[in-house]
Amino acid sequence: MLYSPVVEAAPEDRPAPRMSGPALMVIFGASGDLAQRKLLPALYNLVQKKLLPDDFTILGYSRTPYTDEEFRALARGGVEKYSDAEFREADWQRFAQGIFYLTGNYDDAEGFARLKARIEELDQSRRTGRNRLFYLATPPSVYEPVATQLGRADLVHPVDNSPTGPGDDHSWTRLVVEKPFGHDLASAHALNEHLLSIFDEDQIYRIDHYLGKETVQNILVFRFANGIFEPIWNRNYVDHVQITVSENIGVEQRGGYYDKSGALRDMVQNHMLQLVSLVGMEPPVAFDAKAVRDQKVNLLRSIRPLAPEEVSHYVVRAQYSPGDLDGERLPAYRDEEGVEPDSTTETFVAWKLEIDNWRWNGVPFYLRTGKAMPQKVSEIAIYFRRAPHLLFDSADDPEHISRNVLVIRIQPDEGISMKISAKQPGPAVKLQPVNMAFQYGSSFGATPPDAYQRLLLDVVLGDGTLFTRRDEVEVAWERVTRVLDGWKRQEEEARSGGAPLRLPTYDAGTWGPDAAEQMLRVENQRWRKP
């Protein structure tokens, strides 16, 4: 590989880090896995990096009874185990003195009355400026009850758009909602309607941790800060795009949950369509929340909607069958614990997605995601058109060698590579594909920080650029719900024929079913093997 030298900016040329002001963060579901594995370690890292003030305040709220000290001990265990920064006792003590806990139910008015009293007490003792961040790290079934109780307890400040600042006393209130945000268009619309009856749109931060990854954010920088790429980022030069998000595990102990979700809802509706929008969007007029999200929504609206009868021609779904994965024998999906024996829930999806706009008309975006695949990887591959005339007839495989491919690797081994053709040393003109590449670890001297660090800091700072807006969520669900409707029609037709529908299968440890390979084969393409 060829690596470009990294030129370090002088200290005076580096932008100052963004430092937030005082705030209180209430984590609903604070005793759960998300809070312990992601949120609390990320907040500790931000405090350690001086990106949050030492007096930043955290109030955990969940049904499990803890005292403040017991919850701090629980939080310490999560930070020590999952933080990507060195654990320092002095840093922990500064962080821990701002951690508190309250036990209560999510639909209990009395519990939220106690929550309000505790918040007001901490507002005074911790000088939070009455800035409040509510984080729903709970099952989606309690999103609406929690929002309802927050409104009834008068814990939501109105938004003031005056130049002097938000809120009637220049304080702010924000709500972070984890995915899944609904399970189809109707449920997503209903949840939006409910939340927006209590909060304003500018107060709601719908989080997708993929958008917090440095490699995902770098897509915009790569496209719009380098003059050599944007002129060729269109249908005149790009042949097709492949986006792969694969996992090298089965459903493990989550069979009961996954069987009600599936790969389309779990990965495509959020993560993968976010990547499509960033790769395909038009240049925003500014790098701010409105401009960026406007262009993402425009791109999603340009995705060609599928009629139910078209779904089988554009979308492949399948389930994994028994196979060897990382030296272990994995059972078939239908034999996993919690999975219905006649389940039609997909563990693999491949979608030939068409975008009907001036930039991308005629350029297919091939999406592929699945469980029980050979490796865990997330990447975007941009395949450019072949050179119109190849001069070097001595090449072993002229068509293969003349194809330039740009690969943006999101995880693991985060980086960007470009495949080009070069002459092998020797008297004969013999071509060989080589990579020009950089990796974050070697170029910047460190691995990218966990996505939640960036996203949590952005919420506190009030920057919604990396969060999804209502119209963005609903247009993505509209396109996905059309696929779900097509699958429902297939299942109804199978039942009317007297036999339940059985999905195609692929061996665990392989890259998917033959039907997905055939999808590209008929167009003289093939899936990239990461």
Side-chain angles (χ1 to χ4, degrees):
M1 286 191 176
L2 307 175
Y3 292 94
S4 300
V6 177
V7 179
E8 291 284 349
E12 60 271 16
D13 296 331
R14 294 174 182 156
R18 301 180 301 165
M19 179 69 170
S20 79
L24 183 150
M25 177 177 177
V26 179
I27 303 177
F28 293 99
S31 62
D33 189 64
L34 175 63
Q36 300 304 315
R37 291 172 62 94
K38 294 294 185 180
L39 303 184
L40 290 166
L43 292 167
Y44 167 81
N45 291 346
L46 290 172
V47 170
Q48 189 182 66
K49 294 174 182 177
K50 304 294 185 182
L51 296 175
L52 291 177
D54 289 345
D55 57 359
F56 186 83
T57 305
I58 300 166
L59 176 57
Y61 184 99
S62 66
R63 291 177 291 222
T64 308
Y66 289 112
T67 65
D68 289 347
E69 289 302 321
E70 288 171 339
F71 182 66
R72 288 169 186 162
L74 179 70
R76 176 173 182 142
V79 169
E80 288 183 330
K81 185 174 183 179
Y82 298 111
S83 172
D84 58 13
E86 179 185 355
F87 184 86
R88 300 190 185 100
E89 186 64 32
D91 292 334
W92 167 254
Q93 293 301 328
R94 288 202 325 272
F95 180 62
Q97 53 88 29
I99 297 177
F100 305 89
Y101 187 82
L102 186 66
T103 303
N105 292 319
Y106 299 125
D107 57 354
D108 177 22
E110 182 182 341
F112 277 76
R114 288 187 286 109
L115 175 63
K116 180 181 182 181
R118 190 72 183 274
I119 288 175
E120 291 177 345
E121 172 193 326
L122 292 171
D123 283 340
Q124 295 297 319
S125 62
R126 301 281 302 172
R127 298 179 182 177
T128 66
R130 298 185 74 237
N131 296 319
R132 298 164 184 175
L133 166 59
F134 301 108
Y135 199 113
L136 300 182
T138 63
S141 59
V142 301
Y143 290 172
E144 291 191 15
V146 170
T148 298
Q149 294 299 335
L150 286 172
R152 290 176 179 173
D154 194 26
L155 285 168
V156 182
H157 296 166
V159 171
D160 179 2
N161 293 319
S162 67
T164 56
D168 53 355
D169 56 357
H170 313 322
S171 60
W172 51 257
T173 303
R174 293 169 191 148
L175 178 74
V176 181
V177 187
E178 275 280 348
K179 78 174 191 75
F181 196 93
H183 62 271
D184 58 13
L185 176 58
S187 59
H189 177 78
L191 180 55
N192 272 324
E193 288 291 308
H194 185 81
L195 295 181
L196 288 168
S197 69
I198 302 164
F199 296 85
D200 289 324
E201 174 63 35
D202 289 344
Q203 295 177 301
I204 301 173
Y205 290 72
R206 301 169 188 84
I207 193 169
D208 183 343
H209 74 272
Y210 252 53
L211 293 182
K213 294 180 180 294
E214 289 286 346
T215 38
V216 173
Q217 298 167 49
N218 201 49
I219 295 171
L220 296 180
V221 175
F222 183 80
R223 284 188 57 189
F224 303 130
N226 295 291
I228 64 173
F229 290 111
E230 187 58 23
I232 62 172
W233 209 264
N234 55 61
R235 60 191 172 93
N236 296 322
Y237 297 95
V238 176
D239 181 84
H240 70 277
V241 178
Q242 294 185 26
I243 301 178
T244 296
V245 177
S246 63
E247 296 182 280
N248 60 346
I249 58 173
V251 295
E252 298 184 318
Q253 288 76 43
R254 298 171 66 243
Y257 164 79
Y258 193 86
D259 205 40
K260 297 178 177 62
S261 174
L264 187 69
R265 290 183 172 97
D266 191 45
M267 284 291 184
V268 177
Q269 185 276 331
N270 40 72
H271 300 335
M272 299 192 78
L273 289 185
Q274 287 293 329
L275 297 181
V276 170
S277 67
L278 292 172
V279 170
M281 63 186 276
E282 295 299 317
V285 297
F287 194 71
D288 60 35
K290 184 179 187 306
V292 171
R293 294 194 290 189
D294 282 349
Q295 294 301 341
K296 288 171 63 183
V297 170
N298 289 341
L299 188 283
L300 292 173
R301 286 177 175 154
S302 299
I303 294 174
R304 183 180 301 169
L306 297 178
E309 62 272 13
E310 293 181 301
V311 169
S312 60
H313 300 291
Y314 287 88
V315 185
V316 172
R317 57 173 168 163
Q319 296 172 338
Y320 61 81
S321 58
D324 294 322
L325 191 61
D326 291 336
E328 296 184 3
R329 189 69 177 173
L330 196 69
Y333 172 70
R334 287 188 171 193
D335 295 330
E336 295 276 19
E337 182 181 352
V339 176
E340 296 293 333
D342 58 350
S343 172
T344 58
T345 299
E346 75 288 351
T347 64
F348 174 94
V349 172
W351 185 351
K352 178 187 174 183
L353 186 147
E354 302 276 1
I355 298 175
D356 289 334
N357 64 16
W358 187 263
R359 181 184 292 263
W360 295 114
N361 184 259
V363 178
F365 279 57
Y366 297 107
L367 313 186
R368 173 179 60 168
T369 184
K371 287 189 172 292
M373 301 182 82
Q375 60 177 295
K376 179 180 177 65
V377 63
S378 298
E379 68 171 29
I380 302 164
I382 314 293
Y383 282 74
F384 293 94
R385 296 190 183 278
R386 293 187 174 93
H389 177 58
L390 186 64
L391 300 176
F392 307 104
D393 295 332
S394 60
D396 293 336
D397 184 357
E399 287 192 351
H400 176 65
I401 291 178
S402 62
R403 176 67 64 85
N404 300 123
V405 183
L406 174 69
V407 178
I408 302 172
R409 177 64 70 91
I410 296 167
Q411 66 178 14
D413 304 322
E414 296 88 347
I416 299 174
S417 67
M418 180 75 177
K419 188 177 79 172
I420 62 174
S421 295
K423 177 186 174 297
Q424 286 187 13
V429 178
K430 192 174 180 63
L431 305 185
Q432 177 69 33
V434 297
N435 280 332
M436 300 177 64
F438 94 92
Q439 291 183 323
Y440 277 84
S442 57
S443 295
F444 297 116
T447 57
D450 180 78
Y452 277 94
Q453 293 183 45
R454 170 64 186 270
L455 295 174
L456 288 171
L457 180 60
D458 281 358
V459 176
V460 178
L461 292 170
D463 185 347
T465 305
L466 300 178
F467 298 83
T468 52
R469 206 167 57 191
R470 173 188 182 159
D471 51 354
E472 189 177 347
V473 169
E474 293 190 8
V475 71
W477 265 123
E478 195 278 335
R479 297 301 190 264
V480 166
T481 299
R482 285 175 171 267
V483 176
L484 294 170
D485 289 343
W487 288 350
K488 183 178 179 180
R489 173 175 171 166
Q490 294 171 14
E491 293 167 17
E492 290 172 348
E493 290 174 349
R495 283 196 298 271
S496 66
L501 180 69
R502 292 192 67 89
L503 299 189
T505 60
Y506 60 99
D507 292 343
T510 65
W511 284 106
D514 185 66
E517 300 292 338
Q518 183 64 19
M519 174 188 287
L520 270 66
R521 194 180 298 132
V522 297
E523 299 183 359
N524 296 317
Q525 307 291 357
R526 58 191 176 193
W527 288 106
R528 168 182 157 81
K529 297 296 188 290

